Amino acid sequence: MTGPAHPLVAPVLEVRDLVTRFDTDQGIVFAVKGISYSLHAGEALAIVGESGSGKTVGVLSIMGLVPQPPGRIVRGEAILGGRDLLKLSSAEWRRVRGREIAMVFQDPMTSLNPVLTLGFQLTEGLRRHLGKTPSEAKARAVEMLGLVGIPNPQARMSDFPHQLSGGQRQRVLIAMALSCGPSVLIADEPTTALDVTIQAQIVDLVKGLQEKLGMAMIWITHDLALVAGLADRVLVMYAGYVVEEAPVERLYTDPRHPYTRGLLRSMPRVDGIEQGRLEAIRGHPPDMRGEFEGCPFAPRCPDVIDKCREESPGLTDVGHGQRTACWCWGDLGAWEGEGK
């Protein structure tokens, strides 16, 4: 796995205090509440959390894909190549999206145009962004299909999306995303619609391509187990906030936030270590309509104290490159998985 760059090296992408809201008939949905993170060249960052935690809205915001209205990016910055992505016009986004930053979505069947051939869809970006001639774009597209493991790529160029399996369609989307050589790839739960065997193949494929091409990657997932062999660093999101950030090894051996611990306790172990009954996190995620005082996890937290209900904690540096948003992080005791 490609390790993260030295912290003194400028990040390829830096997100600062991003706030995104949605105006609905039922009230304002506070989807993303001031998240900040950086991504360095060659680094793989995983963003994990339950459905509704804000992880997908956060990356859609920096990709310029939040529909406005009903969405509103209230404040924040997303610096890529010296430019703030949040301030780009539609014309500027057409030059940047796919060329400098690209995204692979969950469902390949809705991401691919069903009435256009794979060849047309693969070559369009190459012609627009890189100015390649039709023959050059076709050669590059065939090369990319081969790179992602599509058999007989030359013949597949004339196929339509419905002629491929789900796993093959996802490979085509990955080929499209990588064809113009972006410096940042965002993968939004790209294995959700696939069976377990194909999921593992797609994860291995993306991991291998990320290491081979040296690009930075953000992987969005609700599955904390998935990121163990994929990411260098992990952000844990809850109710629109980043509640913990840590190198992937630290997150598994010494989680400092009760929510992270709850996620880990709900995962079955596959390392041969004896495990008791799986534990569910009690309660339900908060209603994201409206703002609330205190820590957002307080109503569900087994370690809650009065201060948690009164004041929201910011991210605190707890050492070893790890930060957590918890008033009680120093009193949680040793993690049962530590040292195993």
Side-chain angles (χ1 to χ4, degrees):
M1 180 164 46
T2 303
H6 192 280
L8 295 179
V9 177
V12 65
L13 173 68
E14 188 166 10
V15 177
R16 305 169 186 158
D17 195 26
L18 176 64
V19 175
T20 303
R21 298 172 184 170
F22 291 88
D23 298 311
T24 73
D25 293 338
Q26 291 76 39
I28 299 174
V29 176
F30 293 75
V32 175
K33 303 174 181 177
I35 65 172
S36 300
Y37 59 89
S38 59
L39 181 70
H40 289 83
E43 182 182 26
L45 173 69
I47 302 179
V48 303
E50 294 172 287
S51 296
S53 63
K55 56 188 186 298
T56 295
V57 172
V59 295
L60 290 177
S61 298
I62 67 174
M63 286 290 295
L65 295 175
V66 169
Q68 301 184 53
R72 286 186 291 132
I73 298 177
V74 177
R75 67 173 184 266
E77 296 178 311
I79 308 301
L80 175 73
R83 291 168 298 177
D84 185 357
L85 299 178
L86 304 185
K87 291 183 170 62
L88 296 184
S89 66
S90 296
E92 289 171 325
W93 258 122
R94 284 193 290 271
R95 292 192 291 270
V96 171
R97 193 185 294 122
R99 176 64 184 92
E100 299 178 41
I101 183 169
M103 190 165 178
V104 179
F105 296 91
Q106 290 185 27
D107 188 353
M109 200 57 196
T110 58
S111 300
L112 292 168
N113 191 317
V115 300
L116 297 176
T117 65
L118 300 179
F120 182 91
Q121 297 182 67
L122 281 160
T123 58
E124 184 179 21
L126 292 163
R127 290 182 281 108
R128 286 178 177 268
H129 290 306
L130 303 184
K132 291 187 177 293
T133 65
S135 60
E136 290 172 337
K138 181 178 179 180
R140 173 64 171 169
V142 171
E143 177 189 357
M144 292 304 302
L145 286 179
L147 187 64
V148 299
I150 296 293
N152 198 8
Q154 181 77 38
R156 288 296 196 180
M157 292 283 285
S158 58
D159 284 353
F160 291 88
H162 73 271
Q163 295 176 267
L164 277 65
S165 68
Q168 287 175 327
R169 288 194 292 266
Q170 197 60 277
R171 288 171 185 267
V172 170
L173 280 182
I174 294 168
M176 290 175 62
L178 298 181
S179 61
C180 294
S183 56
V184 176
L185 174 69
I186 299 173
D188 182 18
E189 303 204 53
T191 63
T192 298
L194 306 175
D195 65 56
V196 175
T197 302
I198 304 302
Q199 283 183 15
Q201 293 176 5
I202 296 298
V203 170
D204 288 343
L205 170 66
V206 175
K207 176 183 173 183
L209 290 173
Q210 188 243 344
E211 293 177 350
K212 179 177 180 178
L213 302 176
M215 63 186 171
M217 180 176 70
I218 298 175
W219 188 286
I220 309 297
T221 183
H222 64 276
D223 185 357
L224 195 55
L226 182 70
V227 306
L230 178 71
D232 300 301
R233 191 160 48 94
V234 184
L235 298 182
V236 180
M237 287 194 66
Y238 183 80
Y241 295 97
V242 173
V243 297
E244 187 149 25
E245 175 184 4
V248 66
E249 296 85 359
R250 289 288 302 178
L251 195 83
Y252 283 91
T253 59
D254 192 23
R256 291 283 95 194
H257 197 281
Y259 177 61
T260 309
R261 291 187 170 201
L263 290 178
L264 289 169
R265 290 191 182 106
S266 69
M267 289 168 36
R269 299 191 71 124
V270 294
D271 54 8
I273 295 175
E274 184 178 349
Q275 181 180 23
R277 186 184 182 91
L278 295 180
E279 300 178 26
I281 300 175
R282 66 181 186 180
H284 303 280
D287 188 341
M288 301 294 283
R289 294 171 297 178
E291 298 185 87
F292 43 82
E293 295 181 353
C295 173
F297 190 61
R300 307 175 71 186
C301 182
D303 302 291
V304 65
I305 60 175
D306 289 342
K307 188 175 184 179
C308 302
R309 299 186 179 95
E310 299 166 356
E311 188 177 348
S312 180
L315 284 168
T316 299
D317 188 346
V318 300
H320 306 284
Q322 185 172 6
R323 299 190 301 161
T324 191
C326 179
W327 294 120
C328 307
W329 69 267
D331 302 320
L332 295 183
W335 171 242
E336 56 265 31
E338 189 170 5
K340 294 182 181 181

